[in-house]
Structure formats: C-alpha cells, structure tokens
Amino acid sequence: MATMHYLFFGFLSVAVLFLSRTGNAAIADKEQSGRYAELPSISSVLEQVDDPSVKRYASSGVRERIVDIAVHEIGVQEATGNNDGMRVEEYLAYTGLGKGHAWCAAFVSWCYGQAGLAVPRNAWSPALFPLARSYTAQQINQGTVRQADLFAIYSSSLQRINHVGIVRKKERSWILTVEANVDNRVLCKRRPLATIYAFSNWLD
C-alpha cells in the first residue's frame, strides 16, 4: 500500500509540474493571440486521492494558476460601459450569456475554466457561495482563506450578494483581489476584511 501511495504521489507531482509548465506556454499564447490555450483538468486525478496532504499539494499549483490567469486580465475594459466588449463578452459567453449582463461572476468562472476546472460556472454571484463551499466565521478568523478563494460583497439594497471576485493574497486584516465589472473593467483592489460578506473555496 505504501508503495502504491508513493507511486501515485509521484504521478500527481508530474501532473502538477506539467500544468505549471503548460501554464507558462498558455500565458505566452495569450499575450500573442488574446486567448489562453486550453489545459487538461486534474480534477479526475484529485477525485481518486484520499490523502488530504496530497490534495493540498496539488491544489496549491492550481490556485497559483487561477490567480495568474486573473492577473493577466487586469486592464480589460468594457467597450461602451454597457457590459460589452470582445473580452467581456467572452467571459459572459462562458456562462451562457450575451453582452449587457453583469459579468463579475462570469469573469471568476472563466478564470477557473481556463485553469482546467469545470466549476464554478455561473454568472449569478450568489450561486458561487453555497453553504457547502463557504468558510465559517471561525475558519476565516483562523486565517484559512487562501489565494484563489472567492470573496463576496453584500448589497443591503438588493438584500443579497451582488459582487464576487478572486482573492489574490491575504494580508492580516486586508485582502488583495482581482475582480471584474468594477469601474467597467478588471482591476486589482485592496479590501478590508470587515467589508467582505463571505468567502468560498471551490478547490478543496
């Protein structure tokens, strides 16, 4: 059994290394053509693993890739300020919508998709924070939130979550983010933890 475990761990390490190297090629491809190369998913590999330490090792590489993909989209802007534009419409199309719709959740979903993950894939921001995926207040206070987790902003007027983005980094009582549909573009922000309504984890 021990031998099988080490063999599988070795296979998984190779898979993560492959994804990392392919990620660099994908970034180069994006810079030249405006699109990322499609990468193979490691979801099927992780589903066969029972060891939590192995899963954490694999997911760390995926988290870095998601954030890297999101960071490379910073600067994308709407064409006319009406939830439109070639790249914006590409995000929306990934979730089955056309131009004119709010696109913060579509952007998040697209970034995960470019990293080879099938979920989340939803343009409705509240749907990205199901109870089973959300951190508890205790987990948040213990510093469990990591890069590539999602954060939610709550609207008191709408009485629901109305904005979502990607955690780039957590710094004490702040988070550094990559988010979209803010000032009609993709940007990086520094938000106080006290202003965040919820966090979700789609990777572990």
Side-chain angles (χ1 to χ4, degrees), residues 35 38 87-98 105-123:
R35 300 180 64 89
E38 184 176 352
R87 195 63 156 179
V88 172
E89 291 169 40
E90 183 177 334
Y91 304 147
L92 287 165
Y94 182 74
T95 57
L97 296 178
F107 168 75
V108 167
S109 298
W110 181 89
C111 289
Y112 270 64
Q114 294 301 302
L117 300 167
V119 291
R121 191 168 186 170
N122 200 311

Side-chain angles (χ1 to χ4, degrees), residues 12 22 28 38 40 46 49 76 86-87 99 105 116 128 131 146:
L12 188 60
T22 309
E38 184 176 352
L46 292 179
V49 183
V76 170
M86 183 179 299
R87 195 63 156 179
K99 64 180 179 179
L128 273 56
L131 185 60
R146 289 173 288 166

Side-chain angles (χ1 to χ4, degrees), residues 2-176:
T3 300
M4 290 298 294
H5 175 81
Y6 290 129
L7 284 174
F8 187 82
F9 187 85
F11 169 78
L12 188 60
S13 299
V14 172
V16 172
L17 179 61
F18 172 78
L19 285 174
S20 175
R21 290 181 175 177
T22 309
N24 293 332
I27 293 169
D29 177 70
K30 184 262 179 181
E31 291 174 346
Q32 295 182 17
S33 66
R35 300 180 64 89
Y36 281 96
E38 184 176 352
L39 297 180
S41 172
I42 65 168
S43 298
S44 59
V45 177
L46 292 179
E47 287 174 358
Q48 300 176 41
V49 183
D50 293 325
D51 190 330
S53 63
V54 176
K55 286 189 175 183
R56 283 194 298 272
Y57 174 80
S59 69
S60 64
V62 178
R63 287 177 181 277
E64 290 175 1
R65 172 152 178 77
I66 291 168
V67 170
D68 187 63
I69 289 169
V71 166
H72 277 76
E73 296 299 300
I74 291 174
V76 170
Q77 300 184 55
E78 296 176 6
T80 67
N82 294 296
N83 296 329
D84 59 354
M86 183 179 299
R87 195 63 156 179
V88 172
E89 291 169 40
E90 183 177 334
Y91 304 147
L92 287 165
Y94 182 74
T95 57
L97 296 178
K99 64 180 179 179
H101 294 274
W103 50 284
C104 60
F107 168 75
V108 167
S109 298
W110 181 89
C111 289
Y112 270 64
Q114 294 301 302
L117 300 167
V119 291
R121 191 168 186 170
N122 200 311
W124 179 243
S125 53
L128 273 56
F129 297 88
L131 185 60
R133 292 286 184 180
S134 298
Y135 286 111
T136 65
Q138 182 179 6
Q139 288 174 321
I140 294 171
N141 292 333
Q142 291 174 342
T144 309
V145 175
R146 289 173 288 166
Q147 66 173 348
D149 283 335
L150 307 184
F151 72 90
I153 300 298
Y154 185 84
S155 168
S156 56
S157 60
L158 295 176
Q159 296 188 332
R160 65 167 176 82
I161 292 170
N162 76 328
H163 183 65
V164 58
I166 297 172
V167 176
R168 183 177 181 182
K169 185 179 181 182
K170 184 175 179 294
E171 299 175 333
R172 297 183 181 178
S173 59
W174 298 79
I175 59 168
L176 191 65

Side-chain angles (χ1 to χ4, degrees), residues 165-194:
I166 297 172
V167 176
R168 183 177 181 182
K169 185 179 181 182
K170 184 175 179 294
E171 299 175 333
R172 297 183 181 178
S173 59
W174 298 79
I175 59 168
L176 191 65
T177 75
V178 182
E179 50 193 281
N181 207 180
V182 177
D183 295 332
N184 302 329
R185 66 183 190 271
V186 179
L187 46 68
C188 177
K189 293 194 73 171
R190 191 168 180 257
R191 291 181 178 270
L193 274 177

